Amino acid sequence: MQLWQSDIREARLLALCTAEPKRLTAEEARSWANDFNSWEIVDCAADLFVGARLDELISEFAADEREFVRRAAFAMISATAVHRKNEGDLAILAWLPLIQAHSGDSRNFVRKAVNWALRSIGKRNRGCHGPALRLAKLLAESSDKTARWIGRDAVRELSGEKLMARLK
């Protein structure tokens, strides 16, 4: 906590890397989120929050208008899809509507995280690939420029030969 409170970037990264996930509370995570001011801090925090199993914060953070707090929601979805191998596919796929709902947020760090979350879900396994690719194709046809960018980029990656071979 002292490292985080120092307000020094490197100290905050060290705080995130050395914090014990099992001891981190949702209230502490919310407090840290109030200080988010860069993508690297957010992405490191997302891994910690996922390790702490603070999934209840995802919807809360997604609803927050602050750019880096909203990014945290989608970085957490991505980290969950990638790192929680034993998590059921239905739990992972349940985040697709949230991705769709925020696909029009054109702020750079949010749109990139929304795209990252969609791609991570689609690359997880065969069961998640189809629903994620369907959403990506839907977004690719959107009249919203940001949603269209997210969709097209995800379709390109989720349709790649290398990924398709891995998922077979």
Side-chain angles (χ1 to χ4, degrees):
M1 294 308 275
Q2 288 176 332
L3 288 169
W4 186 266
Q5 292 166 355
S6 73
D7 200 21
I8 299 169
R9 179 185 146 276
E10 292 82 0
R12 285 188 166 174
L13 287 169
L14 187 58
L16 292 166
C17 292
T18 58
E20 295 178 54
K22 291 181 180 179
R23 295 182 63 193
L24 186 71
T25 68
E27 216 35 62
E28 289 169 333
R30 285 184 188 99
S31 176
W32 287 10
N34 287 330
D35 296 329
F36 287 166
N37 61 5
S38 76
W39 66 266
E40 66 186 342
I41 294 288
V42 169
D43 294 358
C44 191
D47 285 342
L48 172 63
F49 297 171
V50 167
R53 302 194 79 73
L54 298 174
D55 299 4
E56 71 271 17
L57 296 178
I58 293 174
S59 293
E60 180 181 324
F61 286 175
D64 195 300
E65 289 297 324
R66 293 172 291 176
E67 183 174 14
F68 290 114
V69 177
R70 184 168 287 168
R71 179 186 175 88
F74 297 99
M76 288 175 71
I77 292 170
S78 180
T80 300
V82 170
H83 299 299
R84 286 203 199 146
K85 305 294 185 198
N86 294 328
E87 191 79 38
D89 288 350
L90 291 179
I92 302 297
L93 294 171
W95 298 118
L96 290 177
L98 196 62
I99 290 170
Q100 184 174 6
H102 292 283
S103 65
D105 190 328
S106 63
R107 294 175 293 176
N108 187 50
F109 294 110
V110 175
R111 74 181 172 96
K112 287 184 175 184
V114 171
N115 175 265
W116 180 24
L118 179 57
R119 290 182 293 112
S120 294
I121 291 172
K123 293 188 296 186
R124 179 180 168 87
N125 60 36
R126 289 183 68 177
C128 290
H129 181 263
L133 183 57
R134 280 192 292 282
L135 177 56
K137 288 178 178 179
L138 178 71
L139 295 177
E141 298 300 319
S142 174
S143 60
D144 182 90
K145 179 181 175 183
T146 302
R148 196 169 50 250
W149 176 84
I150 290 168
R152 287 179 179 169
D153 185 68
V155 166
R156 182 178 42 76
E157 186 163 341
L158 296 177
S159 300
E161 287 179 34
K162 193 174 181 179
L163 176 64
M164 298 309 293
R166 182 178 66 81
L167 292 177
K168 291 208 184 247

